[in-house]
Amino acid sequence: MEEHIVIIGNGISGVTAARHIRKLSDKKITIVSAETEYFFSRTALMYVYMGHMKFEHTQPYENWFWKKNKIHLKKGFVKQIETKSKTLHFAEGDTLEYDKLIIATGSKPNKFGWPGENLKGVMGMYHKQDLENLETYAPNNKVCKRAVVVGGGLIGIELAEMLHSRHIPVTFLVRESSFWNGVLPEAESAIINREIMANGIDLRLSTNLKEIISDENEQVKSVIIEETGEEIPCNVVGLTAGVSPNIDFIKDSEIKTGRGVKVNRYLETNIPDVYAIGDCAEQQEGINQRRPIEAVWYTGRMMGETLAQTICGNRIQYNPGHWFNSAKFFDIEYQTYGWVWAQPKANEARFYWEHADGNKCIHINYNKNTREFIGINTFGIRMRHEFFDKMLNEKQSVDYVLEHLADANFDPEFYKQYERNIVLKFNKENNTNIQLKKKSWRRIFA
């Protein structure tokens, strides 16, 4: 009898695991989801609301794909995992037995017990249901006179941009003294503050939500600010103060959990034949300075690919490589490769260059003793992932990286004016004589 692999969750990590298990084997595969029948790209939800695509465009696979590839889809909410009998119990009353179980249930928006946080018109921006709620409560600026977004991270700024695209006034409550300054150095955070306000968003820094006020229909009427007691009338409140692993249904089982489901480098839990991947998985120890939990789509995909190998007999460790990430803050693109902390560590030196227009910059981090390149942030200038991955793998010096900056650019002709200014500034500040090399892409990546 063929081995039955059950995957709870149909996000990027669960679906990637299923696809790669199918490529490698004829095992029976079932994906369980309580949210939608078919996999969709969460990162594309904002573009549906903004009118750039339809929801069906967020589904990378046609509906026939699953049957053709013998991947069974089950709609249902798992209430309990019974690991001794290898049985899932559903809220709907039925059960499902597995031979191997993959937990890939993702994240849920954080709630902090604010009065009124469950009123109609209060939502996160993570699930398809959130998109549907936005269409109900904020279809336009006639129905929604103002929205308040709570939480200064990537999801918060995306939601603010979405609402702004429909000309809905937005007040953005950020408890930190500057946007995302737990992640970004001060200069980059200031660039984003300016970009948010330049788009007409009412940005309130060092500001906390106290409570959400209801009207007579249990719908949002206003919010109260903690620090001042000010009441801001609004029809929608977006709660985007981070996410947490979606694992409440696991806590009564024998599967070990912390903030997430605890896993080793092989993505195995403490229970044989039970694994966890994606946003809900928590590494027992962070890998290469990474956080134990990473709610990033590409790491979820990598975990799915890695675990498929193990499930199919080739047991290998999860190795995510060098940290990288990218985002878009309204019109400013952001990329980061390696490590550029909000505050430099004792052995680190920084080099910062900002364009006169105030919305382009690079910030380089390197070892001040050995001069080894550690990481870079780029804003408003798109650069090649492959270049910086190679520099980090080879442990190249900051001098070498700057010499070959032409190879990092997608369009060196357009950006060469920046490169010259960047290197001149570095030379002046560090008493060096770095000379820019001409584009040598073929030579470097041959």
Side-chain angles (χ1 to χ4, degrees):
M1 188 173 165
E2 60 189 349
E3 188 175 47
H4 188 195
I5 313 298
V6 174
I7 302 167
I8 309 175
N10 74 340
I12 185 67
S13 53
V15 165
T16 301
R19 285 179 46 244
H20 283 263
I21 291 167
R22 176 54 68 240
K23 283 180 185 178
L24 297 166
S25 76
D26 292 321
K27 297 177 190 293
K28 182 181 178 183
I29 303 171
T30 301
I31 298 178
V32 176
S33 171
E35 184 182 5
T36 55
E37 186 176 0
Y38 299 111
F39 166 63
F40 68 94
S41 172
R42 292 188 192 284
T43 54
L45 284 179
M46 69 180 292
Y47 300 110
V48 176
Y49 183 82
M50 292 170 75
H52 301 319
M53 59 172 64
K54 295 182 178 177
F55 182 76
E56 54 265 33
H57 300 152
T58 71
Q59 295 176 200
Y61 309 106
E62 299 289 347
N63 293 349
W64 51 257
F65 172 89
W66 309 100
K67 189 172 184 181
K68 180 186 176 187
N69 288 280
K70 296 190 292 182
I71 298 173
H72 306 282
L73 305 177
K74 175 174 172 53
K75 193 102 185 285
F77 183 83
V78 178
K79 186 175 70 174
Q80 183 188 4
I81 301 172
E82 202 176 286
T83 54
K84 284 191 171 61
S85 63
K86 294 190 169 183
T87 304
L88 303 183
H89 295 265
F90 291 89
E92 296 78 8
D94 53 336
T95 61
L96 181 68
E97 293 183 359
Y98 65 85
D99 295 304
K100 286 187 167 68
L101 177 67
I102 301 172
I103 302 166
T105 47
S107 299
K108 59 179 183 178
N110 287 334
K111 290 187 175 181
F112 294 100
W114 291 297
E117 66 183 16
N118 296 314
L119 291 172
K120 289 180 278 189
V122 180
M123 64 204 72
M125 194 55 236
Y126 190 78
H127 300 290
K128 182 173 185 280
Q129 286 85 340
D130 294 324
L131 184 66
E132 291 163 356
N133 280 333
L134 265 185
E135 287 291 359
T136 299
Y137 296 104
N140 53 53
N141 57 11
K142 293 184 177 65
V143 173
C144 181
K145 303 293 187 187
R146 177 168 292 276
V148 173
V149 176
V150 182
L154 295 178
I155 298 174
I157 199 167
E158 284 181 358
L159 181 53
E161 183 177 357
M162 289 163 67
L163 293 157
H164 179 66
S165 75
R166 295 200 184 183
H167 309 291
I168 294 168
V170 178
T171 295
F172 195 4
L173 307 185
V174 176
R175 69 178 180 180
E176 291 80 18
S177 59
S178 188
F179 179 81
W180 216 30
N181 64 1
V183 175
L184 296 178
E186 183 180 354
E188 289 99 300
S189 180
I191 286 176
I192 304 309
N193 292 341
R194 294 196 298 267
E195 179 70 4
I196 292 168
M197 291 186 287
N199 279 276
I201 306 298
D202 174 25
L203 176 63
R204 308 284 190 97
L205 299 171
S206 302
T207 302
N208 286 278
L209 173 68
K210 183 180 181 183
E211 63 178 306
I212 305 168
I213 305 298
S214 172
D215 68 8
E216 63 277 8
N217 300 314
E218 294 296 304
Q219 194 165 321
V220 172
K221 181 177 80 170
S222 62
V223 300
I224 305 292
I225 301 300
E226 176 78 50
E227 287 74 15
T228 62
E230 178 189 357
E231 183 172 4
I232 302 174
C234 59
N235 309 102
V236 160
V237 175
L239 299 183
T240 63
V243 293
S244 301
N246 185 21
I247 60 165
D248 288 348
F249 71 102
I250 297 169
K251 292 188 175 173
D252 291 335
S253 74
E254 295 179 349
I255 300 166
K256 188 177 178 184
T257 61
R259 281 190 63 234
V261 180
K262 290 280 193 179
V263 295
N264 61 17
R265 287 291 296 271
Y266 296 92
L267 305 167
E268 300 161 332
T269 70
N270 62 310
I271 303 295
D273 298 327
V274 178
Y275 310 84
I277 55 177
D279 295 14
C280 69
E282 180 180 2
Q283 285 286 328
Q284 291 164 3
E285 293 179 10
I287 302 170
N288 300 332
Q289 303 187 77
R290 288 170 174 261
R291 294 177 178 179
I293 299 172
E294 289 187 332
V296 184
W297 75 270
Y298 78 84
T299 57
R301 187 194 64 201
M302 291 166 76
M303 287 185 201
E305 292 177 8
T306 301
L307 183 56
Q309 293 286 335
T310 294
I311 294 278
C312 295
N314 178 27
R315 187 170 178 263
I316 57 173
Q317 288 192 353
Y318 169 58
N319 178 20
H322 298 294
W323 169 252
F324 72 93
N325 202 4
S326 63
K328 197 162 177 282
F329 303 106
F330 286 91
D331 292 326
I332 297 180
E333 291 193 44
Y334 156 68
Q335 295 168 291
T336 186
Y337 304 106
W339 299 111
V340 185
W341 319 99
Q343 298 293 331
K345 298 187 175 180
N347 66 320
E348 295 174 349
R350 294 281 178 85
F351 167 67
Y352 182 76
W353 170 88
E354 185 176 302
H355 191 270
D357 66 12
N359 59 17
K360 298 180 191 71
C361 76
I362 67 164
H363 206 158
I364 294 176
N365 190 26
Y366 61 98
N367 187 305
K368 66 184 177 186
N369 302 315
T370 66
R371 301 188 69 77
E372 183 183 328
F373 172 69
I374 296 172
I376 186 171
N377 286 345
T378 77
F379 282 76
I381 301 176
R382 188 182 294 184
M383 292 189 170
R384 294 181 187 273
H385 176 197
E386 300 95 329
F387 174 81
F388 291 112
D389 206 47
K390 186 175 177 64
M391 296 301 99
L392 291 163
N393 281 335
E394 295 178 354
K395 301 184 182 297
Q396 292 287 3
S397 70
V398 62
D399 310 78
Y400 186 92
V401 170
L402 286 166
E403 282 174 1
H404 294 87
L405 212 51
D407 292 306
N409 283 326
F410 279 100
D411 186 352
E413 288 304 310
F414 183 70
Y415 289 129
K416 63 183 178 182
Q417 56 183 316
Y418 305 147
E419 289 158 6
R420 185 171 177 275
N421 290 337
I422 289 165
V423 171
L424 282 172
K425 185 171 192 277
F426 186 88
N427 283 337
K428 186 176 179 182
E429 289 181 3
N430 294 276
N431 197 27
T432 50
N433 188 31
I434 293 167
Q435 300 295 315
L436 271 169
K437 298 280 195 290
K438 289 184 178 177
K439 188 175 188 293
S440 52
W441 186 257
R442 286 187 179 85
R443 180 175 59 77
I444 283 199
F445 290 94

